[in-house]
Amino acid sequence: MSRAKTGVRCPSHSDVILPMQDPYMTQIADGRKNYEFRKYCLRPSVKRIWFYRTAPHSSITHVCETRFARTRNAGDAPLEENGLGNAEFNNKHKDWDGYDFAYEMVTVRELRLPITLKEMKEKHDFKLAPRGLVYLSKSISVSVDLNQQKLEKLMLRMAQIIR
């Protein structure tokens, strides 16, 4: 989404906002879904995905640390099949057609104070709700201390290593 549509000034290139509907956000938050699948590749500089939960929430509610995109090109290692959608991604299920990029959710943090659409408009220069990929406004990144947010889940793989 261009600046003209969102109004966002001074975007961060390490953080993006992606819209997310339920039940998918709940599945990420509770660790059942450990990859987010997209039809496009994020910039390699992206380290965090901020999820804007669509109505009825209409708020940024979670932030996930991620890694470089995993792909399913010839010769690529498959994803571990320990999360929702991973096997379908690996097997190129027809419902996953075009979803060639998988972003691992390394950590999941729930914002203690969700950033509402009203706040996004009034304080962070948004004109509309995010309907697609938007780079995060620096005004949001400086206003939220990630270390003070609720750490929901580490990825299932990380939990298995700790055990």
Side-chain angles (χ1 to χ4, degrees), residues 75-93:
D76 289 350
L79 304 180
E80 289 183 47
E81 295 185 2
N82 60 353
L84 294 174
N86 296 12
E88 292 83 354
F89 178 83
N90 289 340
N91 297 320
K92 298 185 179 183
H93 187 279

Side-chain angles (χ1 to χ4, degrees), residues 18-36:
L18 294 178
M20 182 64 63
Q21 298 176 354
D22 282 325
Y24 308 113
M25 190 67 247
T26 301
Q27 294 166 350
I28 290 172
D30 68 18
R32 289 180 288 153
K33 185 174 188 290
N34 56 1
Y35 281 85
E36 175 58 19

Side-chain angles (χ1 to χ4, degrees), residues 61-117:
T61 60
H62 291 79
V63 181
C64 298
E65 293 172 289
T66 190
R67 299 185 180 168
F68 294 123
R70 297 278 302 271
T71 60
R72 53 187 180 173
N73 297 327
D76 289 350
L79 304 180
E80 289 183 47
E81 295 185 2
N82 60 353
L84 294 174
N86 296 12
E88 292 83 354
F89 178 83
N90 289 340
N91 297 320
K92 298 185 179 183
H93 187 279
K94 65 179 182 171
D95 291 343
W96 265 247
D97 189 35
Y99 289 89
D100 294 327
F101 302 95
Y103 296 92
E104 184 178 9
M105 301 294 99
V106 178
T107 61
V108 179
R109 294 180 189 275
E110 181 179 4
L111 297 184
R112 293 189 187 279
L113 295 172
I115 303 169
T116 65
L117 179 57

Side-chain angles (χ1 to χ4, degrees), residues 4 7 9 13 30 32 37 40 43 47 57 62 65 72 75 78 88 91 97 112 119 121 126-127 129 146:
R9 287 182 259 153
H13 295 290
D30 68 18
R32 289 180 288 153
F37 304 99
Y40 48 84
R43 291 180 181 179
K47 307 285 186 255
H57 304 281
H62 291 79
E65 293 172 289
R72 53 187 180 173
E88 292 83 354
N91 297 320
D97 189 35
R112 293 189 187 279
E119 183 179 349
K121 289 178 176 180
F126 280 77
K127 304 290 184 216
L146 291 178

Side-chain angles (χ1 to χ4, degrees), residues 15 19 30-31 43-44 56 59 67-68 72 77-78 81 88 103 117 121 127-128 134 141-142 145 154 158 160-162:
D15 297 74
D30 68 18
R43 291 180 181 179
S59 301
R67 299 185 180 168
F68 294 123
R72 53 187 180 173
E81 295 185 2
E88 292 83 354
Y103 296 92
L117 179 57
K121 289 178 176 180
K127 304 290 184 216
L128 304 168
V134 177
S141 63
V142 299
D145 182 350
L154 295 174
M158 295 298 289
Q160 292 168 348
I161 292 169
I162 294 170

